């Protein structure tokens, strides 16, 4: 098992576009559907696997372009260290002052390290200066525990 890191920052309004954050249904709408529905399905089907927009289900980061993987670690401690560095980097920009507290961040990081060591995924989100949002995720694979059918970005 190894973990891949993902990071996204962008407008909260973009993050809220849930249709582009979920994989398209395996079957397209019937040809008798409205042209708007068919076009929206095509757009979502084309955008979901190529976009860096965070998926609603953490495991689906694995189907995103390999180029957006921020790092890969065989040991959970390396992934947790990366997360700690990102939290320290972005903490001054957190909209909620409570999330900037070093003690709170240390507790969050310790919890994250435990989860990663147990083979779990991690997905965190923070409001930054309005209207910006930060999403960080660490996703295990080889294969993924809950979604073994999803490919690993390393091809493993």
């Amino acid at each position: 098992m190894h973990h891949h890191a993902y990071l996204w920052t962008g407008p909260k309004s973009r993050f809220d576009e849930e249709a582009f954050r979920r994989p398209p249904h395996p079957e397209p709408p019937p040809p008798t559907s409205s042209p708007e529905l068919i076009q929206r399905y095509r757009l979502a089907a084309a955008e979901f696997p190529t976009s860096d927009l965070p998926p609603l289900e953490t495991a689906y980061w694995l189907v995103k372009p390999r180029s957006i993987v921020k790092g890969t670690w065989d040991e959970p401690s390396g992934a947790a260290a990366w997360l700690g560095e990102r939290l320290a980097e972005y903490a001054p920009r957190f909209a909620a002052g409570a999330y900037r507290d070093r003690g709170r961040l240390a507790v969050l990081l310790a919890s994250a390290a435990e989860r990663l060591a147990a083979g779990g995924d991690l997905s965190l989100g923070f409001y930054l200066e309005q209207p910006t949002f930060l999403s960080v995720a660490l996703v295990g694979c080889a294969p993924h525990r809950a979604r073994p059918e999803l490919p690993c970005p390393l091809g493993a």
Side-chain angles (χ1 to χ4, degrees), residues 18-153:
E18 289 189 10
F20 300 118
R21 297 184 55 216
R22 72 181 80 230
H25 191 274
E27 296 179 27
T32 56
S33 299
S34 72
E36 295 82 15
L37 178 63
I38 292 171
Q39 179 58 28
R40 183 129 176 104
Y41 175 84
R42 287 180 181 157
L43 182 59
E47 183 159 334
F48 179 78
T50 61
S51 166
D52 68 344
L53 195 59
L56 288 175
E57 186 178 334
T58 304
Y60 280 97
W61 273 115
L62 298 175
V63 302
K64 299 292 187 164
R66 184 178 184 179
S67 61
I68 67 171
V69 173
K70 303 298 183 191
T72 300
W73 299 270
D74 290 329
E75 295 297 324
S77 59
W82 176 86
L83 177 63
E85 291 165 4
R86 298 298 71 76
L87 293 178
E89 176 184 350
Y90 283 94
R93 296 177 52 197
F94 290 169
Y99 287 109
R100 292 184 214 125
D101 179 71
R102 288 184 184 187
R104 185 178 189 140
L105 290 173
V107 169
L108 177 63
L109 192 55
S111 173
E114 286 179 24
R115 182 165 183 82
L116 295 171
D121 297 335
L122 183 73
S123 185
L124 300 171
F126 301 91
Y127 288 97
L128 303 176
E129 304 91 4
Q130 292 300 328
T132 306
F133 193 78
L134 165 68
S135 172
V136 290
L138 291 161
V139 185
C141 75
H144 188 271
R145 199 162 69 172
R147 295 276 187 187
E149 75 278 8
L150 296 179
C152 180

